[in-house]
Amino acid sequence: MSMLGGKVVVIVGGAGLLGRRFCMASAAEGARVVVADRSLEAAEAVVRDITAHGQHAEAAPVDITDTASVDALIAGVQQRHGRIDSVVVSAYPRNPQYGRKLDQVTYADFCENLGLHLGGYFLVAQRFGLHFQQQAGGSTGGSIVLLGSIYGSMAPRFEVYEGTPMTMPVEYAAIKGGIVQLVRYLAQWFKPAGVRVNCLSPGGILDKQPESFLAAYKAHTAGTGMLSPDDISGALLFLLSDAGRHVTGQNLIVDDGFSL
Ligand SMILES: NC(=O)c1ccc[n+]([C@@H]2O[C@H](COP(=O)([O-])OP(=O)(O)OC[C@H]3O[C@@H](n4cnc5c(N)ncnc54)[C@H](O)[C@@H]3O)[C@@H](O)[C@H]2O)c1
């Protein structure tokens, strides 16, 4: 039996590195997937890949920093399907200065990146949570999964970035730490309505990083090192499925032991 048979699952940031694989894995498990992204063109490309396998997916535009846009997404999916079971937020908004080292981060950039990412995640979770609460008087539940990161709960290991232009941005620590606690708050708030809220925190994901970094990172893991998006999908399916129906307010870390 499929894990998500017939469920309506909205994946925001569904055209991204992780989001795209989440859409494919959910559709393969029987979900009716809404690939929601700021780039409608990229979302439509994901839909083509899924429907080519005879599975269900549709594209929808959304900007997670715009209340009217998020509300329009909810209204459109509700109208087309008559219900929504889950929303996953895997968008990664950032401003052009994002990714600088600590001494170069301005106050304005710090605030803007927190607003875009942490603020956007809050907005999607709040609007969908209220919709789930209202849906059939709250009796049908609903599930929200926000993408976190290992860097939401561990100190950065700056040494793994040595010799590369990469770093672990200070905004990221604040955003992802904030998401872990936001999830606890929302899970408690929506608990009486049976709405579940969880955080899924991946370790580093392979994406053409320099070899020296990959080797330094791998030395802290159980042997795999950086993971692929497919290594994370199983944990997402668990959180969205009935197997995870009693799990709420949690931060599920999938990182091959890097954060230990
Ligand atoms: N890639 C990693 O190594 C890694 C590791 C741990 C956690 N994460 C987290 O996973 C999530 C996804 O990361 P990714 O690497 O797939 O990112 P990505 O940049 O590959 O994709 C993000 C997607 O979000 C969309 N997007 C950006 N701004 C948006 C907005 N305002 N509204 C709607 N959509 C918007 C983009 O169009 C893109 O399709 C993020 O929360 C990230 O922090 C990523």
Side-chain angles (χ1 to χ4, degrees), residues 82-97:
R83 60 174 295 108
I84 308 173
D85 293 284
S86 305
V87 63
V88 179
V89 192
S90 189
Y92 195 170
R94 58 263 212 198
N95 81 1
Q97 285 74 254

Side-chain angles (χ1 to χ4, degrees), residues 45-65:
V46 177
V47 167
R48 280 194 294 277
D49 283 353
I50 293 174
T51 51
H53 290 90
Q55 293 151 5
H56 181 94
E58 65 198 47
V62 71
D63 179 351
I64 68 165
T65 65

Side-chain angles (χ1 to χ4, degrees), residues 16-18 37 62-64 90 92 94 121 148 172 176 205:
L17 179 68
L18 282 165
D37 203 284
V62 71
D63 179 351
I64 68 165
S90 189
Y92 195 170
R94 58 263 212 198
Y121 275 48
Y172 202 62
K176 293 308 191 185
I205 303 298

Side-chain angles (χ1 to χ4, degrees), residues 62-75 84 87 89 119-135 144 146 186 190 195:
V62 71
D63 179 351
I64 68 165
T65 65
D66 179 341
T67 307
S69 172
V70 174
D71 284 347
L73 172 67
I74 294 170
I84 308 173
V87 63
V89 192
Y121 275 48
F122 156 75
L123 180 62
V124 177
Q126 181 209 39
R127 304 311 295 170
F128 273 86
L130 293 172
H131 178 78
F132 290 150
Q133 194 172 36
Q134 196 187 30
Q135 190 167 263
I144 300 170
L146 303 185
L186 294 170
F190 288 118
V195 178

Side-chain angles (χ1 to χ4, degrees), residues 2-4 7 9 22 25-26 29 86 88 143-145 196 198-200 230-254:
S2 58
M3 288 179 84
L4 304 180
K7 287 189 194 289
V9 176
F22 292 161
S26 300
E29 285 299 332
S86 305
V88 179
S143 170
I144 300 170
V145 177
R196 300 187 298 113
N198 288 291
C199 182
L200 175 57
D230 289 331
D231 291 322
I232 313 299
S233 299
L236 178 72
L237 295 176
F238 163 70
L239 289 174
L240 297 179
S241 73
D242 289 345
R245 67 187 178 280
H246 301 303
V247 180
T248 191
Q250 301 305 304
N251 178 27
L252 180 50
I253 296 174
V254 182

Side-chain angles (χ1 to χ4, degrees), residues 34-46:
V34 180
V35 185
D37 203 284
R38 195 175 51 182
S39 168
L40 183 59
E41 206 184 335
E44 282 168 344
V46 177

